[in-house]
Amino acid sequence: MIKPLGDRVVIEPIAKEETTASGIVLPDTAKEKPQEGKVVAVGSGTLKDGERIALEVKEGDRVIFSKYAGTEVKYEGKELLIMRESDILAVLA
Amino acid sequence: MIKPLGDRVVIEPIAKEETTASGIVLPDTAKEKPQEGKVVAVGSGTLKDGERIALEVKEGDRVIFSKYAGTEVKYEGKELLIMRESDILAVLA
Amino acid sequence: MIKPLGDRVVIEPIAKEETTASGIVLPDTAKEKPQEGKVVAVGSGTLKDGERIALEVKEGDRVIFSKYAGTEVKYEGKELLIMRESDILAVLA
Amino acid sequence: MIKPLGDRVVIEPIAKEETTASGIVLPDTAKEKPQEGKVVAVGSGTLKDGERIALEVKEGDRVIFSKYAGTEVKYEGKELLIMRESDILAVLA
Amino acid sequence: MIKPLGDRVVIEPIAKEETTASGIVLPDTAKEKPQEGKVVAVGSGTLKDGERIALEVKEGDRVIFSKYAGTEVKYEGKELLIMRESDILAVLA
Amino acid sequence: MIKPLGDRVVIEPIAKEETTASGIVLPDTAKEKPQEGKVVAVGSGTLKDGERIALEVKEGDRVIFSKYAGTEVKYEGKELLIMRESDILAVLA
Amino acid sequence: MIKPLGDRVVIEPIAKEETTASGIVLPDTAKEKPQEGKVVAVGSGTLKDGERIALEVKEGDRVIFSKYAGTEVKYEGKELLIMRESDILAVLA
């Protein structure tokens, strides 16, 4: 199991072909290209005044994030991204 | 449905032709060109001392924002922008 | 109506010819040229610990602001500026 | 009347000839040249936790400030400077 | 014994050959290459309002960290890295 | 009298010849050259939560400070430096 | 006596030849070369909410610090370094 620290999130990016399925089409000429993915693990949250503030996203959420956000890791054969929750723009529900 | 995170807002920009309808005309020579749009979704707010502070703008608001603010996404056929509330300059009421 | 967000203020700049009327003459060789204007709308204030802190300036105030501050908008035929209150230097009373 | 905002101060700079009167001589080769002036108006102070914190300087104080600080304005025939109190180095008493 | 200060952590990096053992394969073309290691010592935590906030990682944890993070030291024949906990991306459990 | 504001301190630098008297010799090849001086006036302290926090240094202290810190002023024939207390490295007692 | 201010620490660096004695060998090709030393004086700590927070290191501690940290001073014939506690990476116990 991979457990991100603090306000970090592990995301499995969704390939561009799948992207249309959820209704999101990423413009080619976007100033800052976002990307879609699925949250596979979330950190325990940011520490504020001695308490952990839970993250807004949860495991299984489909999210849009800034394309150049995060660090790539390969884990159990999957290419994953570890990024801060603040790099996630929106949840698709 | 697209749900922005934290203090982010999803905005549907209004094309320049429509702009005059609401009385705003954007100067061509503006130092920093603002743009008009409609708020289509708002985040749950910023977290301060364990409480979510609701945003000032709400769904349906017509807003002026800095033109180069936000990230473009195409969602269900519409071109939308996801930006922080602090990139919104004013509400037109 | 145009309602600025947070600590922003909408200002109608006063043309240079009118400037002498209020006794302010802006030096040509100023390091950082200020400009005079009239406040036409103020935001609801900055949020601090769950409370809105009202702005110091109010509608109708004649103010001096840093010339390059703010974003230009044209609204109902008037050229206005939207800037943060912190870009206003002083009130003329 | 000119009323500076927040922690700003309006200062009437003192010409170099007068400078010796108070005993201050500004070195020509100073790394960062300060300048002397008289406080003509002070802001209502910085807002901290809902209260205005009064400034340390008051009207009439003779002060030394960093030469390149502030914004020049001409008001009722006088050349004045509007700067933040933090740009004032010391009071001469 | 080597005791890191504050929110710092001492890590023994794991050579690339061992990396596959835990299932992590680091992509060669990663934008920002992470690296795997074992925590050998943790600091007493960050000081917040007079209390030490314990770190999330503990001795013995297998962690992924940003490759260029930290400072190299050789201690008792081992090459170690001292970095801040915020440079650790995730724990492998 | 010269009274520095806030956390500022007025220092009379000690010429290099005198420096050896107190046992400090400043290396010529230092990465960042400190300098020795005597505190001649201290500000009323930084304002935190409505209270003035007194400075650690006091009038008469011999201090070491970063050589390029502060602003030079000539006052009553003496060359003085006005700097923030944070630019003082240590007190010699 | 030399008394550092606030969160500063005075350190007597240990020459490279001695370094092996404590088991630390500094790699020549380190990205960021740390250095070993002995704490000879500590400041009274950082001021937080009106209280001094004591430093984690104490006089006599053997510490590793970032090589380019601090300011060199020569005091009573010894070459010392004055740096902030945050520049110290770890204590060797």
Side-chain angles (χ1 to χ4, degrees):
Chain A
M1 211 196 71
I2 184 164
K3 172 77 181 168
L5 284 195
D7 60 344
R8 284 195 184 82
V9 173
V10 180
I11 286 174
E12 189 182 341
I14 297 172
K16 283 203 167 172
E17 292 77 46
E18 295 181 47
T19 313
T20 51
S22 74
I24 282 280
V25 178
L26 300 167
D28 282 2
T29 59
K31 295 168 293 187
E32 195 187 307
K33 298 191 189 182
Q35 199 171 344
E36 200 178 336
K38 203 176 73 178
V39 175
V40 297
V42 299
S44 51
T46 312
L47 203 63
K48 275 264 174 78
D49 303 317
E51 274 178 82
R52 288 273 160 202
I53 306 297
L55 299 189
E56 266 194 276
V57 296
K58 56 181 191 305
E59 229 184 284
D61 277 355
R62 264 174 111 82
V63 295
I64 313 178
F65 52 90
S66 177
K67 195 179 182 177
Y68 304 111
T71 303
E72 295 174 0
V73 295
K74 224 183 219 173
Y75 183 67
E76 294 175 352
K78 287 178 184 164
E79 293 221 357
L80 303 174
L81 280 163
I82 304 178
M83 66 183 67
R84 295 184 179 275
E85 196 196 31
S86 58
D87 288 323
I88 299 181
L89 301 170
V91 175
L92 301 171
Chain B
M1 211 197 73
I2 185 165
K3 174 78 182 167
L5 285 195
D7 61 343
R8 284 196 183 82
V9 172
V10 181
I11 287 174
E12 189 182 341
I14 297 172
K16 285 203 164 170
E17 293 75 46
E18 296 181 46
T19 313
T20 50
S22 75
I24 282 280
V25 178
L26 300 166
D28 282 2
T29 59
K31 296 168 291 185
E32 195 187 307
K33 297 191 189 180
Q35 198 171 344
E36 200 178 336
K38 203 176 73 179
V39 175
V40 296
V42 299
S44 51
T46 312
L47 203 63
K48 274 265 175 78
D49 303 317
E51 274 178 83
R52 288 271 160 203
I53 307 297
L55 300 189
E56 266 194 277
V57 296
K58 55 180 191 306
E59 230 183 284
D61 277 355
R62 264 173 112 82
V63 296
I64 313 178
F65 52 89
S66 178
K67 195 180 184 177
Y68 303 111
T71 303
E72 295 175 0
V73 294
K74 224 184 219 171
Y75 182 67
E76 294 176 351
K78 288 177 184 165
E79 293 221 358
L80 303 175
L81 281 163
I82 304 178
M83 66 182 67
R84 295 184 180 275
E85 195 195 32
S86 58
D87 288 323
I88 299 180
L89 301 170
V91 175
L92 301 172
Chain C
M1 209 196 75
I2 184 164
K3 173 78 182 168
L5 284 194
D7 61 343
R8 285 196 183 82
V9 173
V10 181
I11 286 175
E12 189 182 341
I14 297 171
K16 285 204 164 171
E17 292 76 45
E18 297 181 43
T19 313
T20 51
S22 73
I24 282 281
V25 178
L26 300 166
D28 282 0
T29 58
K31 295 167 292 185
E32 195 186 306
K33 296 189 189 181
Q35 199 171 343
E36 200 178 335
K38 203 176 73 180
V39 175
V40 296
V42 299
S44 51
T46 312
L47 203 63
K48 275 265 174 79
D49 303 317
E51 274 178 83
R52 288 274 159 200
I53 307 298
L55 300 189
E56 267 195 277
V57 296
K58 56 181 192 305
E59 232 184 283
D61 277 357
R62 265 173 111 83
V63 296
I64 313 178
F65 52 89
S66 178
K67 196 181 183 177
Y68 303 112
T71 303
E72 294 174 1
V73 295
K74 223 184 218 171
Y75 183 67
E76 294 175 351
K78 288 178 183 163
E79 294 221 359
L80 303 175
L81 280 163
I82 304 178
M83 65 181 69
R84 295 185 179 275
E85 195 195 32
S86 58
D87 288 322
I88 299 180
L89 302 170
V91 175
L92 301 171
Chain D
M1 208 195 75
I2 184 164
K3 173 78 181 168
L5 284 195
D7 61 343
R8 284 196 182 82
V9 173
V10 180
I11 286 174
E12 188 181 342
I14 297 172
K16 285 203 165 171
E17 293 76 47
E18 296 181 44
T19 314
T20 50
S22 74
I24 283 279
V25 178
L26 300 167
D28 282 1
T29 59
K31 294 167 293 185
E32 196 187 307
K33 296 189 189 182
Q35 200 171 342
E36 200 178 336
K38 203 176 72 179
V39 175
V40 296
V42 299
S44 51
T46 312
L47 203 63
K48 274 264 174 81
D49 303 318
E51 274 178 81
R52 288 274 159 200
I53 307 298
L55 299 189
E56 267 194 276
V57 295
K58 56 180 192 305
E59 231 184 283
D61 278 356
R62 264 174 112 81
V63 296
I64 313 178
F65 52 89
S66 178
K67 196 179 183 178
Y68 304 112
T71 303
E72 295 174 1
V73 295
K74 224 184 216 170
Y75 183 68
E76 295 175 349
K78 287 179 184 164
E79 293 221 0
L80 303 174
L81 280 163
I82 304 178
M83 65 182 69
R84 295 186 179 274
E85 195 195 33
S86 58
D87 288 322
I88 298 180
L89 301 170
V91 176
L92 301 171
Chain E
M1 211 195 72
I2 184 165
K3 173 77 181 167
L5 284 195
D7 60 344
R8 284 195 183 82
V9 173
V10 180
I11 286 174
E12 189 182 341
I14 297 172
K16 284 204 167 172
E17 292 76 46
E18 296 181 45
T19 313
T20 50
S22 73
I24 282 280
V25 178
L26 299 166
D28 282 3
T29 59
K31 296 167 293 187
E32 195 186 307
K33 298 191 189 182
Q35 199 171 343
E36 199 178 337
K38 203 176 72 177
V39 175
V40 297
V42 299
S44 51
T46 312
L47 203 63
K48 276 263 173 81
D49 303 318
E51 274 178 82
R52 287 273 160 202
I53 307 297
L55 299 189
E56 266 194 275
V57 296
K58 56 180 192 305
E59 230 184 282
D61 277 354
R62 263 174 112 81
V63 296
I64 313 178
F65 52 89
S66 177
K67 195 178 182 178
Y68 304 111
T71 303
E72 295 174 1
V73 294
K74 222 182 220 174
Y75 182 68
E76 294 175 352
K78 287 179 185 164
E79 294 221 358
L80 303 174
L81 281 163
I82 304 178
M83 66 182 69
R84 295 185 180 274
E85 196 196 32
S86 58
D87 288 323
I88 299 180
L89 301 170
V91 175
L92 300 171
Chain F
M1 209 195 73
I2 184 164
K3 173 79 182 168
L5 284 195
D7 61 344
R8 285 195 182 83
V9 173
V10 180
I11 286 175
E12 189 181 342
I14 297 172
K16 285 203 165 171
E17 294 76 45
E18 297 181 44
T19 314
T20 50
S22 74
I24 283 279
V25 178
L26 300 167
D28 282 1
T29 60
K31 295 166 293 185
E32 196 187 307
K33 297 190 190 182
Q35 199 171 343
E36 200 179 336
K38 202 176 73 177
V39 175
V40 296
V42 299
S44 51
T46 312
L47 202 63
K48 275 263 174 81
D49 304 317
E51 274 178 82
R52 289 273 159 201
I53 306 298
L55 299 188
E56 267 194 275
V57 296
K58 55 180 193 304
E59 230 184 282
D61 278 355
R62 265 173 111 83
V63 296
I64 313 177
F65 52 89
S66 178
K67 195 178 183 179
Y68 304 111
T71 303
E72 295 174 1
V73 294
K74 224 183 216 171
Y75 183 69
E76 295 175 350
K78 287 178 185 165
E79 293 222 359
L80 304 175
L81 280 162
I82 304 178
M83 65 182 70
R84 296 186 179 275
E85 195 195 33
S86 58
D87 289 322
I88 299 181
L89 301 170
V91 176
L92 301 171
Chain G
M1 209 196 73
I2 184 165
K3 173 78 181 167
L5 284 195
D7 61 344
R8 285 195 182 82
V9 172
V10 180
I11 287 174
E12 189 182 341
I14 298 172
K16 284 205 166 171
E17 293 75 48
E18 298 181 44
T19 314
T20 50
S22 74
I24 283 279
V25 178
L26 300 166
D28 282 1
T29 59
K31 294 167 294 185
E32 195 186 308
K33 298 190 189 183
Q35 199 171 342
E36 199 177 336
K38 203 176 73 178
V39 175
V40 296
V42 299
S44 51
T46 312
L47 203 64
K48 276 263 174 81
D49 303 318
E51 275 178 81
R52 288 273 159 202
I53 306 299
L55 299 189
E56 265 194 277
V57 296
K58 56 181 193 303
E59 230 185 282
D61 277 355
R62 263 174 112 83
V63 295
I64 313 178
F65 53 90
S66 177
K67 195 178 183 179
Y68 303 111
T71 303
E72 295 173 0
V73 294
K74 223 182 218 172
Y75 182 68
E76 294 176 351
K78 287 178 186 166
E79 293 221 358
L80 304 174
L81 281 163
I82 304 178
M83 65 182 69
R84 295 186 179 273
E85 195 195 33
S86 58
D87 288 322
I88 299 181
L89 301 170
V91 175
L92 300 171

